[in-house]
Amino acid sequence: MDFQPTEDQLAVLNTAREFAQSEVLPKAAEIDREHRHPAELVKRMAELGFLGIAVPEQWGGSGLDHVSYVLAMEEISRACASTGVIMSVNNSLVCDPINRFATDAQKEKWLKPLASGQLLGCFALSEPEAGSDAAAQKTTAEKSGDGWVINGTKNWITNGPVADVCVLFTMNDKAAGHKGITAFILPMKTKGVRTGPPDDKLGIRGSKSSQIYLDDVKLSNDHLLGEVGQGFKVAMSTLDGGRIGIAAQALGIARAALEDALAYAQQRRTMGKPIVQHQAIAFKLADMATEVDAARLLTLRAAWLKDHKKPYGKEAAMAKLYASDVANRAAREAIQIFGGNGYVTEFPVERHFRDAKITEIYEGTSEIQRLVISGYLAKGQ
Ligand code: CAA
């Protein structure tokens, strides 16, 4: 077992850290306060090759591995969790399934601009009545001539209001259950596609999400992603990788909470000494640091398994389950360490607290992660 990053991985880490600290962090509070999509940071991430990190260079990506992706995601999310999830969705939920399931012609047309950041993507699986029960898709795709007509509504679609391209899931044969689900590559400018107003959210307020309404949207067969009826497998296998990205985002939020709390505890004095010298505070920091490390190891293990073409679904679910739990606990403890200052927007930890919550919900709630993990255990895996 080798815990030493490669030269390439270290280079990504250093580039991401420098970018996050000098360009992202100074804007994080304003992005949150203004609920602003950080278009200029997305552009910079494209220039740095962070929007298609694990996509082969042939298809416009950086040709790196998923360990590098985790390292970069942690750094960027440590600075701004909203910017982190914009990056994560484009990498894990858009570029990854197109890379794995699209034809070469589709990769030429869609993956090249998405992985290089000329276009931004979103992933539309969730619906008003299909959240955790992803197979209960109500958006219909009906065969019409040599193409398809799509109708339905998608919910909480991260990047929805700012995306150019959508990986869309539809039901084309209800009787077939999950085997009746089909995926498409949908250009967001297609006639009949409309996005609702951006969701007004507790946290990650710089990440725009919305409903997507699909009214008689016509797509030709060359927009099919994978085979007809293969959509549920496209979605589930994509979410396995997505959960590594969200684990890394949660890890970044947890580290932000730890680092901010430690810095504060070193300068804030009570009863004649810095509060870090009070054991009640020092032990909180020790627990936070230990849990952040454990979350990082779980997340890197899942990424390493994916890079080495080994099964990683259970490990990705474990990483997301644990890292999101750690992010929430660390943010809560950080507020406690800041005391009254933790409860006001002048300091960053209330933002970490609000940003952390979503990591227990999207790309599969913590309850779904437990379902996935226990499913593997029941099969002896
Ligand atoms: N990879 C490939 N195939 C898989 C798979 C995987 N990880 N998991 C399941 N499958 C296959 C199974 O093998 C099975 O195939 P067969 O019938 O051919 O054997 C089929 O899918 C059905 O499997 P299940 O019976 O286990 O499926 P289920 O209906 O019981 O659902 C679930 C399982 C885990 C609960 C799933 O519905 C799920 O993951 N739900 C959560 C959905 C989710 O994460 N949504 C997030 C939305 S995206 C988002 O949040 C993005 C964002 O905004 C940032």
Side-chain angles (χ1 to χ4, degrees):
M1 193 169 298
D2 189 357
F3 287 98
Q4 182 62 38
T6 64
E7 269 181 32
D8 278 353
Q9 290 162 352
L10 268 180
V12 172
L13 174 68
N14 289 333
T15 304
R17 185 167 292 170
E18 164 63 21
F19 165 65
Q21 292 301 309
S22 64
E23 299 182 51
V24 184
L25 187 59
K27 295 183 170 175
E30 175 260 319
I31 288 168
D32 173 67
R33 192 170 55 246
E34 305 297 329
H35 297 232
R36 182 173 73 80
H37 170 69
E40 78 286 11
L41 297 179
V42 176
K43 186 165 173 282
R44 284 286 294 132
M45 290 198 288
E47 287 164 7
L48 293 169
F50 287 168
L51 293 182
I53 290 187
V55 173
E57 286 172 287
Q58 175 196 6
W59 301 119
S62 296
L64 296 163
D65 57 11
H66 293 86
V67 165
S68 301
Y69 171 49
V70 165
L71 296 172
M73 267 297 296
E74 178 187 331
E75 292 306 318
I76 288 161
S77 304
R78 188 265 171 260
C80 173
S82 294
T83 308
V85 75
I86 297 168
M87 169 179 163
S88 167
V89 166
N90 202 70
N91 276 276
S92 302
L93 301 189
V94 180
C95 288
D96 182 78
I98 296 179
N99 187 37
R100 287 181 302 115
F101 290 98
T103 62
D104 281 1
Q106 289 174 322
K107 289 185 192 181
E108 186 68 38
K109 182 157 187 189
W110 301 113
L111 187 54
K112 270 191 176 174
L114 283 163
S116 60
Q118 292 161 46
L119 299 179
L120 192 66
C122 68
F123 176 88
L125 177 68
S126 300
E127 298 185 354
E129 291 172 68
S132 288
D133 186 3
Q137 295 284 304
K138 287 205 165 57
T139 294
T140 55
E142 283 175 34
K143 198 92 188 76
S144 164
D146 58 357
W148 299 83
V149 179
I150 298 170
N151 281 286
T153 302
K154 294 290 172 179
N155 248 40
W156 312 293
I157 305 306
T158 305
N159 290 352
V162 288
D164 306 290
V165 179
C166 175
V167 171
L168 172 73
F169 296 88
T170 66
M171 180 63 86
N172 72 290
D173 180 1
K174 195 161 186 279
H178 70 260
K179 292 193 163 65
I181 294 174
T182 296
F184 290 89
I185 303 173
L186 167 73
M188 291 294 282
K189 288 209 168 75
T190 309
K191 188 162 174 267
V193 179
R194 203 162 43 87
T195 56
D199 299 325
D200 189 6
K201 294 187 289 204
L202 173 72
I204 56 162
R205 291 174 166 177
S207 150
K208 296 289 164 195
S209 63
S210 70
Q211 290 197 309
I212 299 180
Y213 308 108
L214 305 151
D215 295 314
D216 285 334
V217 174
K218 294 185 179 59
L219 287 180
S220 51
N221 279 324
D222 57 4
H223 288 268
L224 281 169
L225 179 60
E227 288 163 25
V228 174
Q230 201 191 10
F232 198 64
K233 286 204 190 252
V234 174
M236 290 298 108
S237 59
T238 298
L239 284 167
D240 284 341
R243 288 164 187 163
I244 298 176
I246 300 305
Q249 184 203 23
L251 176 58
I253 298 168
R255 199 180 106 210
L258 167 65
E259 290 178 356
D260 290 347
L262 177 60
Y264 185 81
Q266 283 166 329
Q267 54 90 13
R268 172 75 169 174
R269 298 174 72 86
T270 62
M271 295 139 202
K273 54 185 177 186
I275 62 172
V276 73
Q277 289 176 24
H278 296 302
Q279 211 171 53
I281 302 298
F283 280 14
K284 281 188 198 302
L285 290 163
D287 287 346
M288 288 158 76
T290 305
E291 292 188 358
V292 166
D293 252 22
R296 184 178 294 114
L297 290 172
L298 280 176
T299 308
L300 287 171
R301 177 184 66 168
W304 184 92
L305 287 169
K306 185 164 165 52
D307 286 334
H308 287 78
K309 312 267 181 283
K310 293 176 190 292
Y312 68 93
K314 180 180 73 174
E315 291 77 6
M318 286 176 163
K320 180 183 184 284
L321 173 64
Y322 186 71
S324 60
D325 190 33
V326 167
N328 280 273
R329 207 161 32 247
R332 195 181 66 230
E333 289 295 49
I335 292 187
Q336 200 64 19
I337 291 169
F338 272 71
N341 279 336
Y343 204 67
V344 293
T345 57
E346 189 185 341
F347 293 88
V349 286
E350 61 84 34
R351 170 165 53 86
H352 305 328
F353 184 76
R354 290 185 287 102
D355 286 349
K357 187 59 205 169
I358 190 61
T359 64
E360 292 182 325
I361 297 173
Y362 58 21
E363 301 201 29
T365 62
S366 295
E367 291 74 14
I368 290 294
Q369 306 312 320
R370 290 189 171 92
L371 205 67
V372 170
I373 296 162
S374 57
Y376 281 104
L377 295 178
K379 285 187 268 177
Q381 293 170 353

